Amino acid sequence: MTAENEMIRKSYYKTLIDTYDNRHPISILGERYMEEMKKQRPDLSAIRYAQGEVYFFNKDYEAAIYKWGTPLDDELIPWAQKNIADAHLEMGLLEDAEKFYKDVQTDSVVLQAEILLQLFSLYIQQDRFENAVHAIKNAIELDPDYPDVTEIAKAFFENSKDWGNAVELAVNEAVRTKSLPWFEVLEGYVDQGHTTNYEPSYFRGVLVDLFHMDKYRFESLTEVMWNSYKSSDFYIQWLEEINDLIWNHNADESYMWKKLPNLFKQSYFELISGRYLIRDIAPLIQNHLTNWLTISSVSDILISATAILAWDDIFESDLDPTLVKEAAYHFENCSPYQNGRQDGIELFESMKTWAEKEDLLNDLTEFIQPMVEEYSIEVASPSKIRGLIKASIEFLKEKRVEVEHGIMEKITWNEELLAKLNDIHAQMEGMESEEVHVIKDSFRHMTNNFTQNLMTKLPELLRKSADIVHEDSDFKKIHIDLNNEMNKQVISYMENTGLQGFRDASQTWIEDCLREFKDRQMNMDEMSESFNQQYGEEKITLEADFKILNDWQRDLERISRELVHMEKTNFMLRNNPSQLLLKGAGKLFGSMTKNKEMLHIKYKNYIENEDYSQLIQDLLHPFLQQLESFERSIEWDVNNSFSNIYDGIGHVSDEVQKDMENHKNALATMHEKPEIYRDPLTLFEVKLRQHELMNA
C-alpha cells in the first residue's frame, strides 16, 4: 500500500532522487535521464513517470501528459492513464477526463477506488447528481474500508438531502462495522423524520446488532423509531417487529430497562383505545404483554401484570397460561396502587369522548346524571367511579339498537326531504313554463293592439292630407307638398300620440308582469316556508329575481325611440302607375284653369282611397323588428331569473343526498362490521377490569 500511496499522492518521483540534493527535481531527473541514456539498454520508464508527476505539480499539464503517454512499464501504465485523466480534470476538460478515467484497465482495488472518487468529484462539478451517487456507491461497494470513502458519501448525501441513500449507508455501515457512531448517525436520521417511509423490517439487522452490543443505545434508537412510527401506517408492523425481536433475543433480566417499559405501556393503551379493531391487535397482544412484563421494573410491574390478568378475564384462553400465572404471582406480591380514583376519572372521560364521537354523549349524560349527582363524582370513591363506568358500558351496549333505528329514521327523513325538493323543483319548472307563456302572450297582445292602432290611425292621417289640395294648387309640384305634409303628420303623431301611447302600453305591461311575479313569489314563499318547517331550519329561499323588470323597462324605452327617429317615407314620390299618371297630368294640365278642377278631384280621390297599409308596415318595420327580438328574449330572461332558485334547490339536494349516503354507509358498516361499535366497548371492559384489579 506504501507504493500505491505514493502513486495516489503523485510522490513516486521522490523515490528516484536524493533527498539531500537541493536542486529542482526536474534538474535531477533530467540528469538521471541523460545518464540512463548512456547505457546500452536504458530503462527510462520510471524516470518518465516521475517527470510527469513533477510537471503536473508545476501545472505543466501538457508536458506531464506527454511523459505519461510515452512507453512505460506495465505496472505504471494504469496509474499513468489515471494521471492523464487527472491532468485533463485540472485543465477543466471534464468530458475528456471522464473518458480517460473510464478507459483505465486495472486489477488494483486502490486504483479502482481512486478512479471512482475522481469520477465522483467530476460528476459533482458537472451537476450530474445520479452519476455522482452511482460513483460513490460503487466505491463503497468496492472497498468500504477505503480511507474516508464512507465519510465522503455521508457528507454528500446529507448536503444533497438524499436521505434515502443516507439512511441506506448508515444502516449498512452500522451492521458492517458494528461501530456505535454509525448507529448514532442512523438515530439522528430517524429523529429527523427521514425513515417513516421504510417498513420496520428494514431495520431488523441494525436493532438486533445493537441489542447485543449496547442495551442503552438500543433503547435510545428504539425510542426514536417507536415515536416516528407512532402516527404512521406502519405502527402495527413496528410493534410486531420490536416484539418479535425482544421475544426471540431474550431480554437481559439483569439490565434495568429505562425507556422500553413506558413505551410498551403507552403502546398497550393505544392498542386498546378503540382506534384499532380487536382482530387487528389480538395477534401481537401475547408477545407485547409478555415482553412488557419481562422488562418491567418492580415499581411498575403492577400495571403490566394487571393488564395481562384483565385481558385474560375478558378474552379467556387467548394468552399463554404460563404468562397468566406469572402475572398473577407479581400481582399478589405488588404494593397497593395509589392513583385509582384519578385513573378511574380519566377512563370515564375517555368513554365520554368516544360517546361524543358516536353522537351518543347527550344520551349517556342523561342516563348517568342521577348517578353523578348521587355520587358527587368530584369526591366519589374509586369503587363508585368503577360502578359508574360499568353502568355506562352496559348502557352504550344497549344503545346500539337505538342508534341503528335512529340512522334508519334519518335515512327515511332524508328520502322524504329529497322527494319534497324534487317536487319543488318540478313545481318551479311548471311555474316557469306558465310564466313564460303568460308574459309572452300578454306582450304579444300589447304590441299587436299598439301596432293595429297605428295601422288604423296613420292611414287616417294620410287621407286627411287631401285637405291641402285645392283647385288653385300648383299641380306641377303638389305631389312634393303632399309628401312633405304626409311625413309631417306621421312624425308629429309618432312624437306625441304614438310615443306616449307605446310608453303607456309598455308601463301597463310591466305592471302586469310585476303582479305576475308577486303572485309567483307568494306561492314560492309558501313552498319554502313549508319545506323549512319540515327541515327544521331555514334551508331554502325561493326568491324571485325582480331586477329583470328594470331591464325590460330599460329595453322598451330604448325601443320606443324608434318611433321618433323614423326615416322619411315616399308616400307621393313613388313610381307606381297611379302616381305617375297624376304627376304627368299635373305637369301637362296644371297650368290650365279649366283642368284644375279635374286634377283637384283626382288627387283627392287618390289620397282618400289609397291603401297605405304596406307603406305603414315598411315605415314601422325597424320598430316591429325590435319588438320581435324583445319577445324572443322573454323566455331566456324568465329562465335566467329562475336559475338562482334552481341552484339553491340543487345545493340543498346535494347536501341532503350526501347526508343520506353517509347514513346509509354508516348503517351498512354497522351491519357488515358490528365490531367497529362493539370492540371499543369490549376494550373499555378490559380497561375497567384492569382498573378494578389495580384498586382491589
Side-chain angles (χ1 to χ4, degrees):
M1 184 66 185
T2 301
E4 288 179 324
N5 282 337
E6 291 168 350
M7 297 296 189
I8 294 169
R9 294 195 296 269
K10 296 183 178 65
S11 59
Y12 174 75
Y13 73 94
K14 292 181 180 180
T15 65
L16 303 183
I17 63 177
D18 186 348
T19 55
Y20 295 103
D21 192 333
N22 294 326
R23 289 179 298 161
H24 195 283
I26 288 293
S27 177
I28 299 173
L29 291 173
E31 185 177 289
R32 286 204 58 179
Y33 186 92
M34 295 306 295
E35 290 175 358
E36 189 67 25
M37 284 290 290
K38 294 175 183 178
K39 295 180 180 179
Q40 186 175 359
R41 301 183 67 178
D43 182 5
L44 301 172
S45 175
I47 298 173
R48 287 170 178 159
Y49 184 89
Q51 285 176 322
E53 290 182 331
V54 177
Y55 286 135
F56 181 91
F57 282 123
N58 285 276
K59 302 187 184 304
D60 189 353
Y61 301 118
E62 291 185 358
I65 291 169
Y66 172 76
K67 285 294 183 181
W68 286 324
T70 55
L72 301 172
D73 292 342
D74 289 345
E75 67 271 16
L76 293 176
I77 289 174
W79 285 98
Q81 290 174 322
K82 183 261 184 187
N83 289 346
I84 289 171
D86 289 346
H88 282 85
L89 183 64
E90 291 296 327
M91 289 189 290
L93 303 174
L94 303 186
E95 293 182 4
D96 293 330
E98 180 181 7
K99 178 182 179 301
F100 284 118
Y101 283 130
K102 289 183 175 180
D103 285 345
V104 177
Q105 300 292 323
T106 180
D107 294 329
S108 168
V109 172
V110 172
L111 180 52
Q112 290 178 48
E114 280 296 312
I115 289 171
L116 287 169
L117 288 174
Q118 288 296 90
L119 282 170
F120 169 71
S121 175
L122 183 151
Y123 292 141
I124 290 176
Q125 292 183 55
Q126 292 179 316
D127 291 327
R128 293 164 64 183
F129 179 78
E130 291 184 4
N131 296 82
V133 169
H134 186 69
I136 196 66
K137 290 179 76 171
N138 281 350
I140 294 171
E141 184 178 353
L142 178 69
D143 184 4
D145 289 320
Y146 196 79
D148 299 328
V149 67
T150 54
E151 288 300 322
I152 291 171
K154 173 179 172 292
F156 170 64
F157 293 145
E158 289 179 349
N159 292 335
S160 305
K161 301 191 185 310
D162 181 4
W163 300 114
N165 279 315
V167 170
E168 179 185 359
L169 176 66
V171 169
N172 291 342
E173 287 304 290
V175 171
R176 186 183 71 85
T177 65
K178 305 293 188 292
S179 173
L180 284 178
W182 278 110
F183 290 96
E184 293 169 4
V185 168
L186 176 60
E187 184 177 326
Y189 294 159
V190 176
D191 194 40
Q192 293 163 29
H194 301 313
T195 60
T196 53
N197 59 328
Y198 287 83
E199 291 193 12
S201 59
Y202 181 75
F203 302 105
R204 184 180 302 155
V206 175
L207 290 169
V208 169
D209 285 348
L210 194 56
F211 181 87
H212 294 296
M213 287 170 54
D214 188 321
K215 294 291 191 300
Y216 176 78
R217 295 306 313 177
F218 170 78
E219 279 197 283
S220 183
L221 178 57
T222 299
E223 182 183 34
V224 294
M225 283 191 172
W226 209 306
N227 290 331
S228 73
Y229 281 125
K230 187 175 293 183
S231 57
S232 77
D233 294 336
F234 290 129
Y235 188 48
I236 295 295
Q237 288 185 39
W238 162 254
L239 293 177
E240 291 172 343
E241 190 68 35
I242 193 64
N243 273 294
D244 285 346
L245 188 154
I246 294 176
W247 175 278
N248 291 320
H249 292 272
N250 299 321
D252 186 355
E253 295 185 4
S254 65
Y255 177 76
M256 182 65 70
W257 296 94
K258 301 167 183 63
K259 297 180 178 182
L260 287 189
N262 192 51
L263 291 169
F264 271 89
K265 181 179 74 171
Q266 290 177 355
S267 293
Y268 173 72
F269 287 115
E270 285 168 5
L271 290 173
I272 66 171
S273 65
R275 175 183 170 188
Y276 303 98
L277 297 177
I278 292 172
R279 67 165 178 263
D280 294 333
I281 64 174
L284 63 83
I285 285 294
Q286 167 76 38
N287 282 5
H288 193 87
L289 291 175
T290 302
N291 291 330
W292 184 17
L293 186 70
T294 301
I295 65 174
S296 294
S297 62
V298 174
S299 60
D300 61 8
I301 203 166
L302 175 63
I303 302 177
S304 55
T306 52
I308 293 168
L309 296 176
W311 188 274
D312 185 60
D313 278 353
I314 304 300
F315 302 101
E316 294 182 13
S317 304
D318 265 19
L319 301 179
D320 189 295
T322 304
L323 175 63
V324 177
K325 184 176 180 180
E326 183 180 355
Y329 169 79
H330 288 296
F331 172 68
E332 291 168 2
N333 291 278
C334 280
S335 303
Y337 189 65
Q338 303 297 324
N339 297 322
R341 183 178 174 282
Q342 183 58 37
D343 285 356
I345 291 175
E346 290 177 5
L347 176 55
F348 180 61
E349 290 299 322
S350 67
M351 283 189 59
K352 287 168 64 178
T353 300
W354 179 83
E356 182 176 22
K357 182 171 68 76
E358 296 293 326
D359 201 21
L360 294 173
L361 183 56
N362 290 337
D363 295 320
L364 178 60
T365 302
E366 184 178 348
F367 171 74
I368 63 173
Q369 191 62 35
M371 298 176 67
V372 171
E373 291 175 354
E374 178 186 352
Y375 294 163
S376 182
I377 197 154
E378 290 80 9
V379 294
S381 65
S383 61
K384 288 186 175 180
I385 294 174
R386 291 196 296 273
L388 180 64
I389 296 170
K390 188 171 185 179
S392 298
I393 292 173
E394 293 303 318
F395 170 78
L396 291 171
K397 281 184 175 180
E398 296 172 1
K399 197 67 183 174
R400 185 189 180 284
V401 177
E402 290 184 33
V403 170
E404 185 175 342
H405 289 158
I407 292 175
M408 293 173 67
E409 289 176 1
K410 288 177 180 177
I411 292 172
T412 302
W413 186 62
N414 280 330
E415 288 174 341
E416 292 173 355
L417 288 177
L418 205 55
K420 181 67 174 176
L421 285 167
N422 290 335
D423 182 54
I424 290 174
H425 193 283
Q427 289 185 60
M428 288 293 101
E429 288 179 334
M431 195 178 293
E432 177 186 3
S433 179
E434 176 65 20
E435 193 163 280
V436 168
H437 177 72
V438 169
I439 291 175
K440 286 185 75 172
D441 274 2
S442 67
F443 181 78
R444 195 177 302 116
H445 181 71
M446 182 269 287
T447 56
N448 285 344
N449 284 345
F450 179 75
T451 305
Q452 288 302 319
N453 184 56
L454 289 179
M455 295 298 291
T456 301
K457 292 294 183 182
L458 291 179
E460 290 178 0
L461 286 175
L462 294 174
R463 292 187 183 101
K464 287 181 180 179
S465 299
D467 293 344
I468 72 166
V469 182
H470 304 288
E471 289 183 10
D472 58 352
S473 296
D474 183 356
F475 288 101
K476 291 181 180 179
K477 62 180 186 70
I478 190 64
H479 60 284
I480 296 174
D481 296 337
L482 278 169
N483 197 69
N484 290 336
E485 179 64 21
M486 287 176 171
N487 276 288
K488 178 182 175 183
Q489 291 296 330
V490 168
I491 290 170
S492 176
Y493 183 85
M494 289 298 193
E495 288 179 345
N496 297 290
T497 308
L499 177 60
Q500 190 57 48
F502 183 73
R503 285 174 172 169
D504 291 344
S506 299
Q507 186 59 39
T508 300
W509 180 76
I510 291 290
E511 291 170 358
D512 290 343
C513 291
L514 178 60
R515 282 192 292 274
E516 178 69 24
F517 280 16
K518 286 183 176 179
D519 290 343
R520 176 187 77 179
Q521 186 61 57
M522 192 177 298
N523 291 335
M524 291 192 299
D525 288 344
E526 291 175 359
M527 282 190 282
S528 57
E529 183 179 357
S530 173
F531 179 83
N532 290 333
Q533 285 179 351
Q534 183 179 357
Y535 201 94
E537 62 177 286
E538 291 291 323
K539 207 64 183 173
I540 63 170
T541 303
L542 306 176
E543 189 170 351
D545 181 5
F546 280 38
K547 72 180 178 63
I548 188 177
L549 296 175
N550 296 330
D551 296 339
W552 285 349
Q553 197 157 27
R554 182 200 62 218
D555 291 343
L556 290 172
E557 176 61 29
R558 176 181 50 77
I559 292 171
S560 71
R561 293 174 195 152
E562 290 291 335
L563 294 172
V564 295
H565 293 100
M566 290 183 171
E567 298 290 332
K568 287 188 69 173
T569 302
N570 290 330
F571 292 108
M572 295 298 295
L573 301 179
R574 291 172 294 152
N575 293 323
N576 60 29
S578 298
Q579 288 196 10
L580 288 172
L581 185 61
L582 282 173
K583 285 183 280 187
K587 289 179 181 179
L588 287 173
F589 308 114
S591 59
M592 301 177 187
T593 304
K594 61 179 181 178
N595 292 319
K596 283 190 173 184
E597 183 177 353
M598 177 269 293
L599 289 172
H600 171 242
I601 292 170
K602 285 190 175 293
Y603 263 101
K604 287 184 72 72
N605 284 340
Y606 174 79
I607 295 168
E608 291 172 353
N609 295 299
E610 177 65 3
D611 180 8
Y612 297 101
S613 58
Q614 186 59 51
L615 287 171
I616 300 302
Q617 206 143 11
D618 292 344
L619 177 70
L620 296 176
H621 181 69
F623 171 71
L624 296 175
Q625 265 193 323
Q626 295 211 36
L627 290 180
E628 289 172 4
S629 176
F630 182 90
E631 183 181 334
R632 287 194 297 271
S633 71
I634 287 174
E635 182 171 0
W636 188 90
D637 288 338
V638 173
N639 293 344
N640 193 51
S641 73
F642 274 80
S643 61
N644 63 321
I645 296 174
Y646 293 137
D647 289 344
I649 294 172
H651 178 70
V652 177
S653 296
D654 290 343
E655 282 187 1
V656 174
Q657 183 71 41
K658 184 178 180 181
D659 193 45
M660 183 170 67
E661 291 301 323
N662 289 339
H663 284 113
K664 284 183 176 180
N665 291 336
L667 187 64
T669 300
M670 291 182 75
H671 289 163
E672 297 168 8
K673 299 179 180 179
E675 64 272 18
I676 290 178
Y677 185 93
R678 181 190 62 217
D679 282 8
L681 292 175
T682 303
L683 294 173
F684 277 126
E685 289 184 307
V686 173
K687 295 179 193 176
L688 176 61
R689 181 59 185 139
Q690 182 179 8
H691 182 64
E692 290 173 342
L693 289 168
M694 291 182 68
N695 293 276

